[in-house]
Amino acid sequence: MKTTVKWLKEYVDFDLSPQEIAETLTMAGLEVESLTHLLPDNVVAARVEDVSPHPNADRLSLCSVSDGSGGRRIVCGASNMKAGDAVVLALPGARLPETAAFPEGLTIKKAKIRGCESDGMLCSEAELGLTAAKSDGIMILPGAVAPGTPLADIADLEDTVIEIAVTPNRPDCLSVTGIAREVAAATGGVLKVQNPPPAPVRNESGIRPPVIENTDACSRYCLALVSGVKVETSPLWLRARLSACGIKPVNNIVDITNLVMLETGQPLHAFDRGKLKAAEGGCVLAVRNAKKGESLLALDSQKYDLSPQDLVIADGAGPVAIAGIMGGEESAVSGETKDVLLEAACFSPPVVRRSSKRLKLSSESSYRFERGVDPAAPPPALARAAELMLSVAGGSSRGMIADVCPEEVRPLEIDVSLEKVWKTLGADFDREETANLLSALGFEVTGSGDPVRVKIPTFRPDVSRPADVAEEIARLFGYDAIEEAEPGFGMLAGCADRRAAAHETMENVFVFAGFSEAVNYGFENPDLLRAFSPDPAVEILNPISRDLSVMRNTMLAGLMKNLKFNLSRQLPAARLFETGKVFFHKGSGQLPREERMFAAVAAGAGDARLWEREGFDFFDMKGLAEKTLATAFNVPEGAAVFESGADKPCFHPGKSARIAIGGETAGNLGEIHPETARAFELEGVVALELNLEKLYAFAEVDPKPVLSEVFLQEKKKKDEFVSLVSSVGGRSQLTPEELNAIHRGFDRNWRRKFPSLRRDVVFVVKKEIEAGSMVSGVRGVSPLVERVWIFDLFEDKSLGDGMKSVGISMVLRSAEKTLTDEDANLVCEKAVKTLGDSFGARVRQ
C-alpha cells in the first residue's frame, strides 16, 4: 500500500518527519518498506517567451524561456507549448528520477543538440515521475505560477511516498484512512474523517434496484447515479496523487473511483449508464453466477471465458463485469459518457480469490476484496465519489439509488477482562488510557467493571476474541514498554513414556555404531517409490513439484538419496537412520493407513585400519537389529526369527532376511537389490526396516533399566577412548589397537561441506622406526589433515640394509573452502620435511 505524507496530513495533524512517521508505523506493526521523494531539486517553473523551428532538425524546436533570473535557450522535441505558457524546466545539475523514459535516471547537463546550445530541459509529467503513462508533450503549469518557482513549492506536487507492507490480516490498512487512524492512535492525534455521511436511499432515477441471486457471494450491493458529467483528463493534483501511489490515470471519472478506493479501502466501479441494457422486468443489473459459455471482454482488452463458479455483474444482455476483479470494456466510461452508474459492493473473499486465480487476473480491487472489505463502507464511499465527481466532472448527483443488503450489518461485541489482559501481558496499564487508545482505533469500550464490553468496528475483521484485543493493547502501548519478566511455572511429577524410552534406546544403539540421523520430507517422487514397492502411493492433490507429488510408503528412497549425496562428495562411508511415518492406500475416498517405521542404511568402506577390510555387510546390520530388538523393545530371546529372503522386491533375494515375530513380519534387512541401488548410482548398500507399530507391544516392560545399562556400557567405551588418546599424547609408538580406536574416533562424522583431497606418499625408513609414530607425526603437520593411515609395508634388500618402505595415505579437507592441488602439495611437503627431520625418512623414488 502506497500513500503520501501530505495525504496523511489531510486526515491527521502531525509534525513528524517522513522518517519519524515510518518509524512510528513500523513500531505499530505496519512495516514501512520505502520512502521516496517525488520531485528532484533544481527543477523550476519557467515562462515560454518564444518558440521557433530548429535550423538543423525538422522535429526539434528552439524555445526561449525565462526562469525568473534570466533567459535560457532550450532545444525541445515537443510541440504542445506556445509563447506565454508556464512550463517545467530542469536546470543543469538536476537529477531526474528513474522512470519508463529514463530507467536509470538522468542528470541534466548543458549540451549542443544538432548544432544548437541547450541550457536545460523542458520536462513532461512522465519524465518527472508524476504519471506512469506516456506523456503527449511538455507539462503545462497553471498560468499563475511565477517563473523561477521551485517545483517543490507548487501545491500538490512535492510530497514523500510511503510504501507499507500490509499483512493479509489488516485489510483496513489498505486505505489512507486506515493508515491515518494508526498514526492518530500512535501520536495522540485526532482522525479527521473525509467521507461525507451517506444520504438516504432515494431512487428517483427510474432504475430498478439490482437483484442479488447469490447472497453468499455478495452480502451488499449499492448503486449511485451521477448525471450530466463531462469526461476529460483529470486535474494535475488528481493525476499526481494517483501516480504517486502507482496507479495510472485514465480519465476524471475512473480516476475518482481509484482515488476513493485508496482513501477508504472500498473498491468502486463506474458504468456508462447509457450502455447498460435492462433485462425483462426492467432490472438493469443483477449479481449472479456466470452461465456456461459466457465470456467477457475486460478493460484490459482481454477476453475471458467464464465458468459457473465465477460471480459476475450482468445487465439484460450478459456479463458487464467480473465481480470484484474487473469491469467490461463494452460498458466502460468513455469520452461520450454523460450518465455514470457507480457501484460499491461487498463480495466474498474466497469467491473473488478463486476467480482471480483461475482467470490469472488481478487488480487493485481484487487485492482488497480477497482480504475482506468493510461491509459498512459502500454507502459513504459512494457519497464521497459522487461529491468529487460533481467538483471535477460537473453534472448533478441523484445520490444513492439502491442499497441491497440481505442482512443487517452489526458490529461484533465481546466481553474483555482488562485484568486478565494485563496479567497476560505482564504489565499494568492505566484503565482510562487503555480505553482511550482502543477508542482511537475505532473500538467502543463501555462498562466500569471487569470485564468491559468492547464493540469491534466492522473494518477490523481480524479482531474477534479477547486475545486479539490484548494484542491491540500491547501494540498501542508498545512492546518495548512491557518489562521483561521470568515466566512462572511449577514442577509436575511425571512418568517415563515407554515408547519414547524405546525410541531413545533404539537410536542410541545406532548412534553408538556410527550412524547419523536423517530427516526427510514425507513426500516423495513416485518413480523412485516404484523401485521399492509396486503398491500405489497416495497422491497429493496440490503437490509442490513432481518430485514431491506422493506420500512415501517407505523411508528407504529418501535415505538412499541421502547416501548418494554423501558418497558423491568423496566420503569413504555413510551410515544413516530415520524414524517417521509411511502411508499406504486404503482405497478411493478413504484416508490412507499410517504406520510408524524405522529405517537404516549403510554403504561405503568399513573402519579405517592399518589394513583395509570389507565394508559394512549383512551381518553387521543383523547384529544391530538383534541388539535393538532386545534392548529397546525387550523382545525375548528366540522370539525374533530371521527367515531367508525379505518380502520386499527392493532387497537382494539371496542376501536378505525377513524379521518375523509371532508369525508376523516386523521388518526386513539385507542388501539392496543391485538394480534398485543402480538407480541411485550406488552398490553394496545394506538396509534395515522395522515396523514400530508391531514392536510397541513388546515395550510394555519398563525399558529404563535396559536403556541405562546400554548407555553406561557405551559411555564406558567412550571414556576408555578419551583416556586412551590422552595417555598416548607424547609417545612415539602406538599399537594397532590404539590406532584403530583413534581412527574410529576421527571417522564419526561423515558429512562435510567441502570435498576432500587424498595424497599417498611412500617413505623409506629404518626398520626399527614404528609406523604408528610416523602416522602421529603426519597428523600433526596441519589442521587440514583429517585422516591418516598406513596402506602399505614392504621390506626388500633393494631398499638397503636395515631399511623398509612405509606407504602413508592422507585425507585433507578444509572447513572453510575447497582445497586446491597447491594447498595439498604444501601439506605433503611439510609432512615429508617433518618425517625426514624426526625419523630420517626419505621419499621412495
Side-chain angles (χ1 to χ4, degrees):
M1 173 66 192
K2 290 183 179 180
T3 184
T4 71
V5 172
K6 281 188 177 180
W7 206 350
L8 287 176
K9 286 186 175 181
E10 294 177 8
Y11 285 82
V12 58
D13 294 326
F14 57 85
D15 295 326
L16 303 178
S17 67
Q19 290 74 20
E20 291 171 331
I21 280 293
E23 177 68 17
T24 299
L25 289 172
T26 299
M27 295 305 296
L30 301 176
E31 180 186 358
V32 175
E33 292 188 318
S34 65
L35 293 173
T36 306
H37 295 286
L38 284 181
L39 297 181
D41 296 328
N42 292 333
V43 179
V44 301
R47 182 77 59 193
V48 178
E49 302 293 345
D50 178 63
V51 179
S52 60
H54 193 291
N56 302 320
D58 295 337
R59 296 186 179 182
L60 299 179
S61 58
L62 285 176
C63 299
S64 298
V65 300
S66 172
D67 63 2
S69 62
R72 293 176 184 269
R73 295 280 284 177
I74 308 294
V75 177
C76 184
S79 59
N80 65 313
M81 64 286 186
K82 63 183 184 301
D85 284 342
V87 294
V88 176
L89 173 63
L91 300 172
R95 172 71 180 176
L96 298 186
E98 297 177 1
T99 61
F102 306 115
E104 298 180 357
L106 178 66
T107 300
I108 304 302
K109 302 177 182 178
K110 288 184 179 182
K112 181 176 290 188
I113 302 175
R114 300 295 293 271
C116 294
E117 294 284 347
S118 183
D119 194 15
M121 174 178 169
L122 301 184
C123 302
S124 66
E125 292 181 22
E127 291 165 343
L128 293 170
L130 296 177
T131 179
K134 182 179 179 181
S135 301
D136 295 329
I138 296 303
M139 180 177 178
I140 306 298
L141 297 172
V145 178
T149 303
L151 204 58
D153 294 342
I154 300 176
D156 301 315
L157 292 184
E158 170 55 12
D159 210 343
T160 300
V161 178
I162 303 177
E163 184 173 6
I164 301 171
V166 180
T167 53
N169 66 318
R170 292 299 305 274
D172 59 303
C173 290
L174 293 174
S175 67
V176 180
T177 304
I179 297 172
R181 184 181 293 111
E182 293 290 326
V183 174
T187 61
V190 177
L191 181 67
K192 296 178 284 187
V193 179
Q194 299 291 328
N195 295 338
V201 178
R202 297 176 60 183
N203 192 355
E204 300 174 356
S205 63
I207 300 175
R208 292 192 59 182
V211 175
I212 302 178
E213 296 182 7
N214 187 346
T215 55
D216 292 333
C218 178
S219 59
R220 191 170 195 174
Y221 195 83
C222 302
L223 291 175
L225 181 63
V226 181
S227 303
V229 299
K230 183 179 181 182
V231 181
E232 57 187 0
T233 302
S234 297
L236 177 59
W237 68 267
L238 179 52
R239 301 198 311 274
R241 184 156 287 186
L242 290 179
S243 297
C245 295
I247 295 180
K248 177 181 177 181
V250 179
N251 57 51
N252 52 0
I253 301 299
V254 175
D255 292 351
I256 286 172
T257 62
N258 286 329
L259 182 77
V260 173
M261 176 188 68
L262 293 175
E263 282 186 345
T264 66
Q266 172 64 53
L268 303 176
H269 183 66
F271 296 102
D272 185 331
R273 170 66 183 91
K275 297 178 181 178
L276 298 177
K277 300 174 179 61
E280 293 183 9
C283 184
V284 176
L285 292 179
V287 185
R288 62 171 174 82
N289 288 85
K291 298 176 183 178
K292 187 175 181 180
E294 287 186 326
S295 61
L296 177 71
L297 181 63
L299 288 172
D300 62 356
S301 299
Q302 299 293 319
K303 185 178 180 180
Y304 296 93
D305 295 325
L306 305 174
S307 78
Q309 291 184 334
D310 299 321
L311 190 71
V312 299
I313 314 300
D315 67 357
V320 293
I322 306 172
I325 302 177
M326 188 172 289
E329 193 172 272
E330 295 180 359
S331 60
V333 172
S334 64
E336 291 75 32
T337 299
K338 300 301 180 186
D339 300 330
V340 176
L341 195 60
L342 285 173
E343 166 200 279
C346 289
F347 299 116
S348 167
V351 172
V352 176
R353 189 181 305 116
R354 182 171 58 243
S355 294
S356 178
K357 184 176 181 180
R358 189 186 71 80
L359 297 172
K360 297 180 180 178
L361 176 64
S362 62
S363 63
E364 290 284 346
S365 294
S366 66
Y367 184 79
R368 287 162 173 78
F369 278 121
E370 288 176 17
R371 287 153 179 77
V373 299
D374 180 7
L382 283 179
R384 171 65 171 163
E387 178 187 64
L388 287 172
M389 284 186 186
L390 294 181
S391 64
V392 173
S396 61
S397 173
R398 299 290 186 90
M400 192 164 63
I401 62 173
D403 183 1
V404 182
C405 188
E407 294 186 8
E408 182 182 356
V409 178
R410 289 186 177 180
L412 176 66
E413 296 187 22
I414 59 176
D415 292 326
V416 179
S417 170
L418 295 182
E419 295 291 339
K420 187 175 181 180
V421 168
W422 295 330
K423 184 177 180 181
T424 301
L425 298 179
D428 291 329
F429 298 122
D430 182 76
R431 183 187 184 91
E432 183 178 354
E433 187 179 359
T434 301
N436 290 337
L437 285 174
L438 288 174
S439 298
L441 288 181
F443 296 79
E444 293 183 20
V445 182
T446 57
S448 57
D450 195 73
V452 295
R453 193 73 170 172
V454 179
K455 182 183 289 186
I456 312 298
T458 55
F459 54 77
R460 290 299 303 272
D462 59 309
V463 179
S464 60
R465 52 183 182 160
D468 298 328
V469 177
E471 182 179 351
E472 293 298 299
I473 293 173
R475 185 172 66 87
L476 291 172
F477 273 102
Y479 292 105
D480 54 346
I482 301 176
E483 296 182 0
E484 294 183 6
E486 292 291 337
F489 58 90
M491 299 297 292
L492 298 176
C495 56
D497 182 89
R498 298 179 188 276
R499 290 191 177 188
H503 275 275
E504 183 180 1
T505 304
M506 175 179 62
E507 292 176 353
N508 281 338
V509 168
F510 282 84
V511 169
F512 292 140
F515 283 71
S516 298
E517 184 174 11
V519 179
N520 291 303
Y521 287 118
F523 319 134
E524 195 50 85
N525 186 314
D527 298 329
L528 291 182
L529 289 183
R530 277 193 288 271
F532 291 88
S533 173
D535 298 332
V538 180
E539 294 185 359
I540 300 172
L541 294 179
N542 56 338
I544 300 173
S545 67
R546 163 71 180 171
D547 291 339
L548 300 172
S549 60
V550 296
M551 303 298 293
R552 65 183 179 185
N553 52 22
T554 178
M555 289 187 294
L556 292 179
L559 289 174
M560 291 286 281
K561 288 192 294 185
N562 300 148
L563 275 183
K564 179 181 177 181
F565 178 89
N566 282 268
L567 296 177
S568 64
R569 282 156 176 77
Q570 303 177 2
L571 301 182
R575 302 178 187 178
L576 301 166
F577 72 86
E578 182 177 8
T579 306
K581 288 186 177 182
V582 295
F583 306 85
F584 300 97
H585 235 299
K586 287 181 62 178
S588 178
Q590 298 187 53
L591 293 175
R593 185 179 85 255
E594 300 181 15
E595 291 187 358
R596 194 162 186 81
M597 303 286 288
F598 172 86
V601 293
D607 291 338
R609 299 175 182 272
L610 291 177
W611 289 271
E612 297 284 352
R613 71 173 182 86
E614 294 182 359
F616 198 93
D617 59 18
F618 170 88
F619 296 102
D620 293 322
M621 189 67 81
K622 182 173 182 289
L624 291 175
E626 291 174 333
K627 188 174 184 180
T628 298
L629 294 175
T631 60
F633 296 99
N634 302 317
V635 176
E637 184 177 354
V641 179
F642 292 82
E643 300 177 351
S644 177
D647 61 0
K648 287 190 175 183
C650 63
F651 286 93
H652 193 299
K655 299 181 181 180
S656 61
R658 180 178 79 97
I659 305 174
I661 301 178
E664 295 187 8
T665 301
N668 291 281
L669 73 90
E671 187 173 312
I672 294 295
H673 197 288
E675 291 185 2
T676 302
R678 199 174 297 119
F680 296 87
E681 301 177 6
L682 299 172
E683 60 181 17
V685 180
V686 182
L688 168 69
E689 268 193 328
L690 294 176
N691 189 323
L692 299 183
E693 303 290 346
K694 302 285 181 65
L695 297 175
Y696 284 144
F698 293 93
E700 292 302 319
V701 179
D702 190 354
K704 287 190 295 183
V706 178
L707 171 65
S708 301
E709 181 181 348
V710 172
F711 179 78
L712 290 174
Q713 290 175 355
E714 298 295 344
K715 183 176 185 300
K716 181 179 179 182
K717 292 180 181 178
K718 284 188 174 182
D719 292 342
E720 290 174 352
F721 164 72
V722 173
S723 176
L724 171 64
V725 174
S726 301
S727 64
V728 302
R731 287 162 39 196
S732 61
Q733 181 175 340
L734 296 176
T735 67
E737 290 75 20
E738 290 173 343
L739 281 173
N740 291 335
I742 293 174
H743 289 323
R744 285 195 297 273
F746 280 105
D747 292 341
R748 290 286 181 192
N749 187 3
W750 293 293
R751 296 180 70 93
R752 296 290 190 272
K753 184 175 182 181
F754 297 101
S756 64
L757 289 177
R758 175 173 170 170
R759 290 291 186 270
D760 297 339
V761 184
V762 180
F763 295 92
V764 176
V765 296
K766 294 181 180 180
K767 288 184 179 181
E768 58 266 24
I769 301 297
E770 295 288 341
S773 60
M774 296 179 67
V775 169
S776 298
V778 172
R779 184 178 295 114
V781 300
S782 171
L784 298 178
V785 178
E786 184 177 273
R787 295 177 56 209
V788 185
W789 69 93
I790 306 298
F791 73 86
D792 181 66
L793 285 176
F794 175 71
E795 296 182 9
D796 190 80
K797 293 182 178 179
S798 61
L799 298 175
D801 293 338
M803 306 300 286
K804 66 180 178 180
S805 170
V806 180
I808 296 180
S809 286
M810 295 177 285
V811 173
L812 311 176
R813 192 192 307 269
S814 170
E816 299 176 351
K817 66 173 185 176
T818 299
L819 293 179
T820 63
D821 287 336
E822 183 179 353
D823 296 328
N825 293 337
L826 290 175
V827 175
C828 288
E829 291 172 4
K830 190 173 182 181
V832 170
K833 185 177 186 304
T834 299
L835 296 187
D837 294 344
S838 301
F839 308 109
R842 57 180 173 83
V843 177
R844 180 179 172 185
Q845 301 299 324

